[in-house]
Amino acid sequence: MSARKGGGLATIGLLSVTAIWGSTFVLIKDVVGRMAVVDFLAVRFLLAAIVMLVLFARPVWRLGRAERRRGLALGVLYGFAQWLQTEGLALTSPSVSGFVTGMYVVLTPILALVLFRQRMPLSTWLAVVLATAGLGVLALNGFQIDIGVLLTLASAALYALHIVGLGHWSKPGDAFGMSAVQMVGIAAVCLLATLPHHGPSLPPDGKAWVAVLYMALVAGAFAMLVQTWAQAHMPATRAAIVMTTEPVFAAGFAVLLGVDALTTRMVVGGTMVLAAMYLVELAPRFRRRRPAEALHHDVG
């Protein structure tokens, strides 16, 4: 019962994270129109890293050497994924970028199987297919393979590696320390990206500072903490499918703020993504009612 409750809270936590990420699309579009993308990323994650190290210095200190190395490696993966995704976004449309980035939902179960021998039940593979189709309906209106798409696909592979690694290494008691160390790795990569431009430049005005602080503290530090804790309570593929609701939230916020108009594609694609999430959430509960069948599955 406690494990079931923990899994439910983890899903709610991860949904809150994707909702926060979805709320940032409009903010990011405004900010990067007035400051360089690499400067925005560097300032955002450096602030998040400093705040997390100050708040969670003791949990970081209590981590073992292996946990610190793993957290740093996961942060570097995530940092390079952010960098590649941003560079790809500059060369392709936001809708195509959102769809290709969402390909981590396909790559995650493949990597989990290859790296850690984690087998998925048929319901999970069906949810992967449904989520991918939903992302396509939500985001795509035709696209061609170019360097921007390839860079974004590489970022999706790194996001998938991060999700798989975090799901394998994260422990509930280490969430504070691991999330802070990951943020240090992300900040290091983003600062590295600014070196050709002689280091990061600060936000140009108060409005940009408010957006950067929200991105650093809420969509950065808080979101990383919740994701790290949540993935200690659920399989990586299930987490990836829940996280595909991010573009659904992004579309919802865009409509609520008057940036975009509600379309049939949004409704149909969003419904498909949500159906995939419900499928991956409800299937394990159905299998628990049929214990003989549940014995055939390692991951639910």
PDB file of all heavy atoms in Angstrom, residues 74-107:
ATOM      1  N   LEU A  74      24.962  12.783 -14.495  1.00  0.00           N
ATOM      2  CA  LEU A  74      23.582  13.019 -14.930  1.00  0.00           C
ATOM      3  C   LEU A  74      23.363  14.496 -15.247  1.00  0.00           C
ATOM      4  O   LEU A  74      22.675  14.842 -16.218  1.00  0.00           O
ATOM      5  CB  LEU A  74      22.601  12.561 -13.856  1.00  0.00           C
ATOM      6  CG  LEU A  74      22.494  11.046 -13.647  1.00  0.00           C
ATOM      7  CD1 LEU A  74      21.657  10.741 -12.407  1.00  0.00           C
ATOM      8  CD2 LEU A  74      21.885  10.373 -14.870  1.00  0.00           C
ATOM      9  N   GLY A  75      23.944  15.371 -14.438  1.00  0.00           N
ATOM     10  CA  GLY A  75      23.824  16.805 -14.696  1.00  0.00           C
ATOM     11  C   GLY A  75      24.490  17.211 -16.002  1.00  0.00           C
ATOM     12  O   GLY A  75      23.955  18.023 -16.758  1.00  0.00           O
ATOM     13  N   VAL A  76      25.662  16.646 -16.272  1.00  0.00           N
ATOM     14  CA  VAL A  76      26.356  16.944 -17.535  1.00  0.00           C
ATOM     15  C   VAL A  76      25.517  16.471 -18.723  1.00  0.00           C
ATOM     16  O   VAL A  76      25.385  17.172 -19.732  1.00  0.00           O
ATOM     17  CB  VAL A  76      27.758  16.294 -17.539  1.00  0.00           C
ATOM     18  CG1 VAL A  76      28.381  16.352 -18.931  1.00  0.00           C
ATOM     19  CG2 VAL A  76      28.659  16.999 -16.526  1.00  0.00           C
ATOM     20  N   LEU A  77      24.930  15.269 -18.615  1.00  0.00           N
ATOM     21  CA  LEU A  77      24.039  14.774 -19.669  1.00  0.00           C
ATOM     22  C   LEU A  77      22.890  15.752 -19.911  1.00  0.00           C
ATOM     23  O   LEU A  77      22.594  16.114 -21.065  1.00  0.00           O
ATOM     24  CB  LEU A  77      23.460  13.410 -19.270  1.00  0.00           C
ATOM     25  CG  LEU A  77      24.281  12.158 -19.529  1.00  0.00           C
ATOM     26  CD1 LEU A  77      23.543  10.941 -18.984  1.00  0.00           C
ATOM     27  CD2 LEU A  77      24.538  11.974 -21.024  1.00  0.00           C
ATOM     28  N   TYR A  78      22.257  16.174 -18.837  1.00  0.00           N
ATOM     29  CA  TYR A  78      21.116  17.081 -18.949  1.00  0.00           C
ATOM     30  C   TYR A  78      21.546  18.429 -19.518  1.00  0.00           C
ATOM     31  O   TYR A  78      20.846  19.030 -20.341  1.00  0.00           O
ATOM     32  CB  TYR A  78      20.471  17.258 -17.575  1.00  0.00           C
ATOM     33  CG  TYR A  78      19.111  17.907 -17.585  1.00  0.00           C
ATOM     34  CD1 TYR A  78      17.960  17.133 -17.559  1.00  0.00           C
ATOM     35  CD2 TYR A  78      18.971  19.290 -17.606  1.00  0.00           C
ATOM     36  CE1 TYR A  78      16.707  17.718 -17.566  1.00  0.00           C
ATOM     37  CE2 TYR A  78      17.727  19.885 -17.615  1.00  0.00           C
ATOM     38  CZ  TYR A  78      16.591  19.098 -17.588  1.00  0.00           C
ATOM     39  OH  TYR A  78      15.361  19.681 -17.602  1.00  0.00           O
ATOM     40  N   GLY A  79      22.712  18.908 -19.086  1.00  0.00           N
ATOM     41  CA  GLY A  79      23.216  20.185 -19.582  1.00  0.00           C
ATOM     42  C   GLY A  79      23.479  20.160 -21.079  1.00  0.00           C
ATOM     43  O   GLY A  79      23.098  21.086 -21.809  1.00  0.00           O
ATOM     44  N   PHE A  80      24.130  19.103 -21.565  1.00  0.00           N
ATOM     45  CA  PHE A  80      24.374  18.989 -23.000  1.00  0.00           C
ATOM     46  C   PHE A  80      23.059  18.825 -23.759  1.00  0.00           C
ATOM     47  O   PHE A  80      22.923  19.327 -24.892  1.00  0.00           O
ATOM     48  CB  PHE A  80      25.314  17.815 -23.292  1.00  0.00           C
ATOM     49  CG  PHE A  80      26.766  18.183 -23.211  1.00  0.00           C
ATOM     50  CD1 PHE A  80      27.558  17.749 -22.157  1.00  0.00           C
ATOM     51  CD2 PHE A  80      27.348  18.972 -24.189  1.00  0.00           C
ATOM     52  CE1 PHE A  80      28.896  18.096 -22.077  1.00  0.00           C
ATOM     53  CE2 PHE A  80      28.688  19.327 -24.119  1.00  0.00           C
ATOM     54  CZ  PHE A  80      29.464  18.893 -23.054  1.00  0.00           C
ATOM     55  N   ALA A  81      22.084  18.119 -23.159  1.00  0.00           N
ATOM     56  CA  ALA A  81      20.772  17.976 -23.803  1.00  0.00           C
ATOM     57  C   ALA A  81      20.114  19.345 -23.966  1.00  0.00           C
ATOM     58  O   ALA A  81      19.558  19.663 -25.030  1.00  0.00           O
ATOM     59  CB  ALA A  81      19.883  17.046 -22.981  1.00  0.00           C
ATOM     60  N   GLN A  82      20.189  20.180 -22.915  1.00  0.00           N
ATOM     61  CA  GLN A  82      19.630  21.529 -22.997  1.00  0.00           C
ATOM     62  C   GLN A  82      20.333  22.343 -24.089  1.00  0.00           C
ATOM     63  O   GLN A  82      19.692  23.054 -24.870  1.00  0.00           O
ATOM     64  CB  GLN A  82      19.795  22.232 -21.649  1.00  0.00           C
ATOM     65  CG  GLN A  82      18.840  21.802 -20.582  1.00  0.00           C
ATOM     66  CD  GLN A  82      17.541  22.596 -20.613  1.00  0.00           C
ATOM     67  OE1 GLN A  82      17.528  23.789 -20.874  1.00  0.00           O
ATOM     68  NE2 GLN A  82      16.438  21.930 -20.339  1.00  0.00           N
ATOM     69  N   TRP A  83      21.640  22.247 -24.137  1.00  0.00           N
ATOM     70  CA  TRP A  83      22.440  22.996 -25.105  1.00  0.00           C
ATOM     71  C   TRP A  83      22.080  22.584 -26.535  1.00  0.00           C
ATOM     72  O   TRP A  83      21.787  23.426 -27.389  1.00  0.00           O
ATOM     73  CB  TRP A  83      23.919  22.763 -24.816  1.00  0.00           C
ATOM     74  CG  TRP A  83      24.868  23.628 -25.587  1.00  0.00           C
ATOM     75  CD1 TRP A  83      24.559  24.604 -26.495  1.00  0.00           C
ATOM     76  CD2 TRP A  83      26.287  23.604 -25.502  1.00  0.00           C
ATOM     77  NE1 TRP A  83      25.696  25.188 -26.980  1.00  0.00           N
ATOM     78  CE2 TRP A  83      26.769  24.597 -26.384  1.00  0.00           C
ATOM     79  CE3 TRP A  83      27.203  22.853 -24.778  1.00  0.00           C
ATOM     80  CZ2 TRP A  83      28.134  24.844 -26.563  1.00  0.00           C
ATOM     81  CZ3 TRP A  83      28.550  23.101 -24.947  1.00  0.00           C
ATOM     82  CH2 TRP A  83      29.014  24.085 -25.828  1.00  0.00           C
ATOM     83  N   LEU A  84      22.068  21.265 -26.786  1.00  0.00           N
ATOM     84  CA  LEU A  84      21.756  20.784 -28.134  1.00  0.00           C
ATOM     85  C   LEU A  84      20.313  21.123 -28.524  1.00  0.00           C
ATOM     86  O   LEU A  84      20.038  21.491 -29.672  1.00  0.00           O
ATOM     87  CB  LEU A  84      21.969  19.272 -28.207  1.00  0.00           C
ATOM     88  CG  LEU A  84      23.425  18.791 -28.180  1.00  0.00           C
ATOM     89  CD1 LEU A  84      23.473  17.268 -28.101  1.00  0.00           C
ATOM     90  CD2 LEU A  84      24.185  19.281 -29.404  1.00  0.00           C
ATOM     91  N   GLN A  85      19.388  20.992 -27.586  1.00  0.00           N
ATOM     92  CA  GLN A  85      17.996  21.305 -27.880  1.00  0.00           C
ATOM     93  C   GLN A  85      17.843  22.780 -28.262  1.00  0.00           C
ATOM     94  O   GLN A  85      17.118  23.121 -29.207  1.00  0.00           O
ATOM     95  CB  GLN A  85      17.110  20.984 -26.674  1.00  0.00           C
ATOM     96  CG  GLN A  85      15.629  21.260 -26.920  1.00  0.00           C
ATOM     97  CD  GLN A  85      14.783  21.097 -25.670  1.00  0.00           C
ATOM     98  OE1 GLN A  85      15.305  21.043 -24.560  1.00  0.00           O
ATOM     99  NE2 GLN A  85      13.483  21.040 -25.827  1.00  0.00           N
ATOM    100  N   THR A  86      18.540  23.650 -27.524  1.00  0.00           N
ATOM    101  CA  THR A  86      18.444  25.083 -27.793  1.00  0.00           C
ATOM    102  C   THR A  86      19.063  25.437 -29.145  1.00  0.00           C
ATOM    103  O   THR A  86      18.507  26.235 -29.913  1.00  0.00           O
ATOM    104  CB  THR A  86      19.137  25.878 -26.673  1.00  0.00           C
ATOM    105  OG1 THR A  86      18.584  25.489 -25.413  1.00  0.00           O
ATOM    106  CG2 THR A  86      18.936  27.370 -26.866  1.00  0.00           C
ATOM    107  N   GLU A  87      20.220  24.837 -29.453  1.00  0.00           N
ATOM    108  CA  GLU A  87      20.850  25.082 -30.754  1.00  0.00           C
ATOM    109  C   GLU A  87      19.967  24.552 -31.882  1.00  0.00           C
ATOM    110  O   GLU A  87      19.837  25.173 -32.944  1.00  0.00           O
ATOM    111  CB  GLU A  87      22.226  24.412 -30.806  1.00  0.00           C
ATOM    112  CG  GLU A  87      23.258  24.998 -29.857  1.00  0.00           C
ATOM    113  CD  GLU A  87      23.675  26.416 -30.220  1.00  0.00           C
ATOM    114  OE1 GLU A  87      23.407  26.852 -31.362  1.00  0.00           O
ATOM    115  OE2 GLU A  87      24.249  27.101 -29.359  1.00  0.00           O
ATOM    116  N   GLY A  88      19.341  23.393 -31.663  1.00  0.00           N
ATOM    117  CA  GLY A  88      18.439  22.849 -32.670  1.00  0.00           C
ATOM    118  C   GLY A  88      17.209  23.710 -32.866  1.00  0.00           C
ATOM    119  O   GLY A  88      16.731  23.883 -33.999  1.00  0.00           O
ATOM    120  N   LEU A  89      16.701  24.279 -31.765  1.00  0.00           N
ATOM    121  CA  LEU A  89      15.518  25.123 -31.839  1.00  0.00           C
ATOM    122  C   LEU A  89      15.782  26.365 -32.687  1.00  0.00           C
ATOM    123  O   LEU A  89      14.880  26.872 -33.362  1.00  0.00           O
ATOM    124  CB  LEU A  89      15.085  25.530 -30.430  1.00  0.00           C
ATOM    125  CG  LEU A  89      13.856  26.433 -30.307  1.00  0.00           C
ATOM    126  CD1 LEU A  89      12.644  25.783 -30.955  1.00  0.00           C
ATOM    127  CD2 LEU A  89      13.585  26.748 -28.844  1.00  0.00           C
ATOM    128  N   ALA A  90      17.021  26.850 -32.670  1.00  0.00           N
ATOM    129  CA  ALA A  90      17.373  28.024 -33.475  1.00  0.00           C
ATOM    130  C   ALA A  90      17.336  27.713 -34.967  1.00  0.00           C
ATOM    131  O   ALA A  90      17.281  28.628 -35.791  1.00  0.00           O
ATOM    132  CB  ALA A  90      18.760  28.533 -33.082  1.00  0.00           C
ATOM    133  N   LEU A  91      17.372  26.427 -35.329  1.00  0.00           N
ATOM    134  CA  LEU A  91      17.454  26.034 -36.742  1.00  0.00           C
ATOM    135  C   LEU A  91      16.195  25.349 -37.248  1.00  0.00           C
ATOM    136  O   LEU A  91      16.139  24.928 -38.411  1.00  0.00           O
ATOM    137  CB  LEU A  91      18.654  25.103 -36.941  1.00  0.00           C
ATOM    138  CG  LEU A  91      20.020  25.700 -36.579  1.00  0.00           C
ATOM    139  CD1 LEU A  91      21.086  24.619 -36.610  1.00  0.00           C
ATOM    140  CD2 LEU A  91      20.378  26.831 -37.535  1.00  0.00           C
ATOM    141  N   THR A  92      15.188  25.199 -36.392  1.00  0.00           N
ATOM    142  CA  THR A  92      13.943  24.558 -36.807  1.00  0.00           C
ATOM    143  C   THR A  92      12.780  25.203 -36.073  1.00  0.00           C
ATOM    144  O   THR A  92      12.980  26.061 -35.209  1.00  0.00           O
ATOM    145  CB  THR A  92      13.987  23.038 -36.532  1.00  0.00           C
ATOM    146  OG1 THR A  92      12.885  22.404 -37.148  1.00  0.00           O
ATOM    147  CG2 THR A  92      13.978  22.749 -35.036  1.00  0.00           C
ATOM    148  N   SER A  93      11.566  24.804 -36.385  1.00  0.00           N
ATOM    149  CA  SER A  93      10.398  25.437 -35.775  1.00  0.00           C
ATOM    150  C   SER A  93      10.166  24.886 -34.367  1.00  0.00           C
ATOM    151  O   SER A  93      10.556  23.756 -34.052  1.00  0.00           O
ATOM    152  CB  SER A  93       9.157  25.170 -36.631  1.00  0.00           C
ATOM    153  OG  SER A  93       8.790  23.807 -36.559  1.00  0.00           O
ATOM    154  N   PRO A  94       9.521  25.680 -33.489  1.00  0.00           N
ATOM    155  CA  PRO A  94       9.248  25.204 -32.133  1.00  0.00           C
ATOM    156  C   PRO A  94       8.401  23.929 -32.110  1.00  0.00           C
ATOM    157  O   PRO A  94       8.626  23.057 -31.263  1.00  0.00           O
ATOM    158  CB  PRO A  94       8.489  26.383 -31.497  1.00  0.00           C
ATOM    159  CG  PRO A  94       8.938  27.577 -32.272  1.00  0.00           C
ATOM    160  CD  PRO A  94       9.143  27.088 -33.673  1.00  0.00           C
ATOM    161  N   SER A  95       7.437  23.806 -33.036  1.00  0.00           N
ATOM    162  CA  SER A  95       6.582  22.620 -33.028  1.00  0.00           C
ATOM    163  C   SER A  95       7.370  21.364 -33.369  1.00  0.00           C
ATOM    164  O   SER A  95       7.204  20.315 -32.724  1.00  0.00           O
ATOM    165  CB  SER A  95       5.427  22.798 -34.011  1.00  0.00           C
ATOM    166  OG  SER A  95       5.906  22.994 -35.331  1.00  0.00           O
ATOM    167  N   VAL A  96       8.243  21.463 -34.388  1.00  0.00           N
ATOM    168  CA  VAL A  96       9.079  20.316 -34.752  1.00  0.00           C
ATOM    169  C   VAL A  96      10.047  20.000 -33.619  1.00  0.00           C
ATOM    170  O   VAL A  96      10.263  18.830 -33.273  1.00  0.00           O
ATOM    171  CB  VAL A  96       9.839  20.590 -36.065  1.00  0.00           C
ATOM    172  CG1 VAL A  96      10.886  19.507 -36.319  1.00  0.00           C
ATOM    173  CG2 VAL A  96       8.872  20.661 -37.228  1.00  0.00           C
ATOM    174  N   SER A  97      10.617  21.040 -33.012  1.00  0.00           N
ATOM    175  CA  SER A  97      11.534  20.830 -31.891  1.00  0.00           C
ATOM    176  C   SER A  97      10.831  20.109 -30.750  1.00  0.00           C
ATOM    177  O   SER A  97      11.389  19.185 -30.148  1.00  0.00           O
ATOM    178  CB  SER A  97      12.070  22.185 -31.401  1.00  0.00           C
ATOM    179  OG  SER A  97      12.872  22.024 -30.252  1.00  0.00           O
ATOM    180  N   GLY A  98       9.591  20.507 -30.446  1.00  0.00           N
ATOM    181  CA  GLY A  98       8.843  19.858 -29.373  1.00  0.00           C
ATOM    182  C   GLY A  98       8.577  18.394 -29.659  1.00  0.00           C
ATOM    183  O   GLY A  98       8.704  17.544 -28.776  1.00  0.00           O
ATOM    184  N   PHE A  99       8.226  18.090 -30.920  1.00  0.00           N
ATOM    185  CA  PHE A  99       7.963  16.698 -31.277  1.00  0.00           C
ATOM    186  C   PHE A  99       9.226  15.854 -31.203  1.00  0.00           C
ATOM    187  O   PHE A  99       9.228  14.766 -30.615  1.00  0.00           O
ATOM    188  CB  PHE A  99       7.371  16.622 -32.687  1.00  0.00           C
ATOM    189  CG  PHE A  99       7.272  15.214 -33.210  1.00  0.00           C
ATOM    190  CD1 PHE A  99       6.304  14.343 -32.745  1.00  0.00           C
ATOM    191  CD2 PHE A  99       8.163  14.744 -34.159  1.00  0.00           C
ATOM    192  CE1 PHE A  99       6.217  13.036 -33.213  1.00  0.00           C
ATOM    193  CE2 PHE A  99       8.091  13.448 -34.640  1.00  0.00           C
ATOM    194  CZ  PHE A  99       7.109  12.595 -34.167  1.00  0.00           C
ATOM    195  N   VAL A 100      10.320  16.346 -31.800  1.00  0.00           N
ATOM    196  CA  VAL A 100      11.559  15.561 -31.840  1.00  0.00           C
ATOM    197  C   VAL A 100      12.120  15.388 -30.432  1.00  0.00           C
ATOM    198  O   VAL A 100      12.611  14.311 -30.081  1.00  0.00           O
ATOM    199  CB  VAL A 100      12.589  16.212 -32.788  1.00  0.00           C
ATOM    200  CG1 VAL A 100      13.892  15.423 -32.776  1.00  0.00           C
ATOM    201  CG2 VAL A 100      12.034  16.281 -34.210  1.00  0.00           C
ATOM    202  N   THR A 101      12.042  16.426 -29.614  1.00  0.00           N
ATOM    203  CA  THR A 101      12.485  16.292 -28.226  1.00  0.00           C
ATOM    204  C   THR A 101      11.679  15.215 -27.515  1.00  0.00           C
ATOM    205  O   THR A 101      12.220  14.422 -26.731  1.00  0.00           O
ATOM    206  CB  THR A 101      12.331  17.621 -27.470  1.00  0.00           C
ATOM    207  OG1 THR A 101      13.119  18.624 -28.108  1.00  0.00           O
ATOM    208  CG2 THR A 101      12.789  17.475 -26.019  1.00  0.00           C
ATOM    209  N   GLY A 102      10.390  15.148 -27.810  1.00  0.00           N
ATOM    210  CA  GLY A 102       9.529  14.143 -27.182  1.00  0.00           C
ATOM    211  C   GLY A 102       9.855  12.720 -27.572  1.00  0.00           C
ATOM    212  O   GLY A 102       9.303  11.770 -26.983  1.00  0.00           O
ATOM    213  N   MET A 103      10.773  12.541 -28.528  1.00  0.00           N
ATOM    214  CA  MET A 103      11.183  11.188 -28.910  1.00  0.00           C
ATOM    215  C   MET A 103      11.906  10.458 -27.780  1.00  0.00           C
ATOM    216  O   MET A 103      12.153   9.260 -27.877  1.00  0.00           O
ATOM    217  CB  MET A 103      12.077  11.231 -30.149  1.00  0.00           C
ATOM    218  CG  MET A 103      11.346  11.541 -31.459  1.00  0.00           C
ATOM    219  SD  MET A 103      10.083  10.296 -31.863  1.00  0.00           S
ATOM    220  CE  MET A 103       8.624  11.086 -31.203  1.00  0.00           C
ATOM    221  N   TYR A 104      12.229  11.179 -26.690  1.00  0.00           N
ATOM    222  CA  TYR A 104      12.811  10.467 -25.550  1.00  0.00           C
ATOM    223  C   TYR A 104      11.851   9.424 -25.009  1.00  0.00           C
ATOM    224  O   TYR A 104      12.274   8.456 -24.370  1.00  0.00           O
ATOM    225  CB  TYR A 104      13.258  11.427 -24.447  1.00  0.00           C
ATOM    226  CG  TYR A 104      12.166  12.247 -23.785  1.00  0.00           C
ATOM    227  CD1 TYR A 104      11.206  11.657 -22.968  1.00  0.00           C
ATOM    228  CD2 TYR A 104      12.124  13.630 -23.938  1.00  0.00           C
ATOM    229  CE1 TYR A 104      10.225  12.408 -22.347  1.00  0.00           C
ATOM    230  CE2 TYR A 104      11.144  14.394 -23.325  1.00  0.00           C
ATOM    231  CZ  TYR A 104      10.194  13.781 -22.538  1.00  0.00           C
ATOM    232  OH  TYR A 104       9.223  14.524 -21.929  1.00  0.00           O
ATOM    233  N   VAL A 105      10.542   9.601 -25.286  1.00  0.00           N
ATOM    234  CA  VAL A 105       9.578   8.609 -24.806  1.00  0.00           C
ATOM    235  C   VAL A 105       9.761   7.273 -25.524  1.00  0.00           C
ATOM    236  O   VAL A 105       9.456   6.207 -24.978  1.00  0.00           O
ATOM    237  CB  VAL A 105       8.130   9.131 -24.978  1.00  0.00           C
ATOM    238  CG1 VAL A 105       7.681   9.078 -26.420  1.00  0.00           C
ATOM    239  CG2 VAL A 105       7.170   8.343 -24.103  1.00  0.00           C
ATOM    240  N   VAL A 106      10.266   7.307 -26.756  1.00  0.00           N
ATOM    241  CA  VAL A 106      10.568   6.074 -27.489  1.00  0.00           C
ATOM    242  C   VAL A 106      11.934   5.527 -27.092  1.00  0.00           C
ATOM    243  O   VAL A 106      12.110   4.312 -26.911  1.00  0.00           O
ATOM    244  CB  VAL A 106      10.538   6.335 -29.014  1.00  0.00           C
ATOM    245  CG1 VAL A 106      10.922   5.083 -29.785  1.00  0.00           C
ATOM    246  CG2 VAL A 106       9.167   6.829 -29.442  1.00  0.00           C
ATOM    247  N   LEU A 107      12.908   6.427 -26.937  1.00  0.00           N
ATOM    248  CA  LEU A 107      14.279   6.002 -26.657  1.00  0.00           C
ATOM    249  C   LEU A 107      14.452   5.488 -25.234  1.00  0.00           C
ATOM    250  O   LEU A 107      15.297   4.628 -24.978  1.00  0.00           O
ATOM    251  CB  LEU A 107      15.247   7.176 -26.906  1.00  0.00           C
ATOM    252  CG  LEU A 107      15.287   7.703 -28.335  1.00  0.00           C
ATOM    253  CD1 LEU A 107      16.118   8.976 -28.417  1.00  0.00           C
ATOM    254  CD2 LEU A 107      15.856   6.644 -29.273  1.00  0.00           C
TER     255      LEU A 107
END
